Amino acid sequence: SIIMLGLGNNLAGGTGTLWSPYSISSLLHYYSFDTGHTLTDIGDPAVAHVTTWADQKESNDASAEDQDTSGGVDAVEAPKYSSGSVLFNNTNDWLKFDSALELGAFSMYIRMESNDVAGDVILENADSGEFWKIQTSTQARIKIDSERNDYTFSALSTDTKFNIGVERTSAGVIMIYVNGSSTTLAGSNDGNVAISGKTLFNRIGAPVVTCKVYEIVICSDALSASDRANLNTYLNLI
């Protein structure tokens, strides 16, 4: 196995300084494009599987699991490396965090693409039933503390990179953003889940479709408008 290290991207901020996710004061975990991937061929030297995606901010790495306790991670239990991204295309090929994401206020942003833009599980905890997912090309859902909130937006295109994020303020207000723009709350719930009910996400992946994840940025608070705009611009460079 080898570690793939990338140079990353940056952009000039309003003062001329370089901006990156490290510029966000509440940055908690960072899984960077083409960086920190442990690659292993599992039975087929032509296919590189990602067995670990290292956290570039702290030490909460995301790793494949030996789900059937066979003594090692099987090919169907690990996503694949694809030009700097992590490609998920099997319901068992998730990456599990060393520690679950137990957060009150937070921001979570991902740059990704999908061949179907429906049924993409972004983050979840199968044991608790919590999830953040793209339900259809025009709807995303997040379930925290047994409450599900739905959000609608303009249709996403298949096989096209996009940015999707979810934030919860200290007042419990949840909002989903797509490509830097706010979305519309749908359904009967009010988009507010008290931060006393923390998230319990412990893995990424397990899709029913094929998706590529390029970058994950997780913060311990909602973002300022300027950080949100800068992050969207940054992610667009990938």
Side-chain angles (χ1 to χ4, degrees):
S1 64
I2 58 174
I3 297 291
M4 301 293 293
L5 297 177
L7 296 178
N9 300 309
N10 53 57
L11 59 101
T15 62
T17 57
L18 295 179
W19 194 98
S20 77
Y22 295 108
S23 303
I24 303 173
S25 61
S26 61
L27 180 65
L28 186 63
H29 304 300
Y30 181 29
Y31 307 88
S32 182
F33 171 69
D34 207 13
T35 302
H37 297 135
T38 300
L39 304 182
T40 308
D41 67 80
I42 305 175
D44 183 354
V47 180
H49 290 268
V50 179
T51 52
T52 296
W53 194 357
D55 182 2
Q56 299 301 301
K57 180 60 169 64
E58 297 295 341
S59 57
N60 194 17
D61 298 343
S63 301
E65 285 190 288
D66 178 15
Q67 301 165 40
D68 58 7
T69 63
S70 63
V73 173
D74 303 327
V76 296
E77 296 173 333
K80 302 174 183 67
Y81 176 84
S82 178
S83 301
S85 73
V86 179
L87 187 154
F88 299 90
N89 65 350
N90 187 291
T91 55
N92 294 316
D93 64 357
W94 63 71
L95 295 177
K96 189 171 184 178
F97 299 109
D98 290 343
S99 299
L101 305 175
E102 297 187 39
L103 303 173
F106 64 81
S107 299
M108 303 179 186
Y109 279 81
I110 294 184
R111 183 154 178 82
M112 61 183 292
E113 68 177 275
S114 166
N115 76 330
D116 189 81
V117 202
D120 285 307
V121 177
I122 302 174
L123 297 170
E124 70 172 349
N125 186 320
D127 296 328
S128 69
E130 297 196 355
F131 61 78
W132 175 31
K133 67 185 292 189
I134 299 171
Q135 182 69 14
T136 70
S137 63
T138 60
Q139 185 185 87
R141 296 177 175 177
I142 183 165
K143 184 179 180 182
I144 302 174
D145 202 23
S146 300
E147 181 179 323
R148 193 190 87 195
N149 285 281
D150 301 354
Y151 299 80
T152 59
F153 40 84
S154 298
L156 296 168
S157 300
T158 58
D159 299 314
T160 302
K161 296 176 184 177
F162 61 90
N163 307 323
I164 184 166
V166 60
E167 301 185 24
R168 177 163 61 169
T169 70
S170 58
V173 177
I174 296 174
M175 177 55 72
I176 286 178
Y177 295 88
V178 175
N179 293 324
S181 298
S182 59
T183 60
T184 301
L185 181 66
S188 58
N189 287 329
D190 63 359
N192 189 305
V193 178
I195 61 171
S196 57
K198 294 185 176 181
T199 66
L200 287 173
F201 302 128
N202 67 355
R203 70 189 190 189
I204 180 170
V208 295
V209 297
T210 297
C211 67
K212 296 178 182 178
V213 176
Y214 292 86
E215 189 131 349
I216 307 172
V217 177
I218 299 172
C219 303
S220 59
D221 204 349
L223 299 185
S224 66
S226 59
D227 276 343
R228 187 178 304 118
N230 282 333
L231 179 58
N232 188 67
T233 301
Y234 175 89
L235 293 174
N236 284 340
L237 296 174
I238 300 170

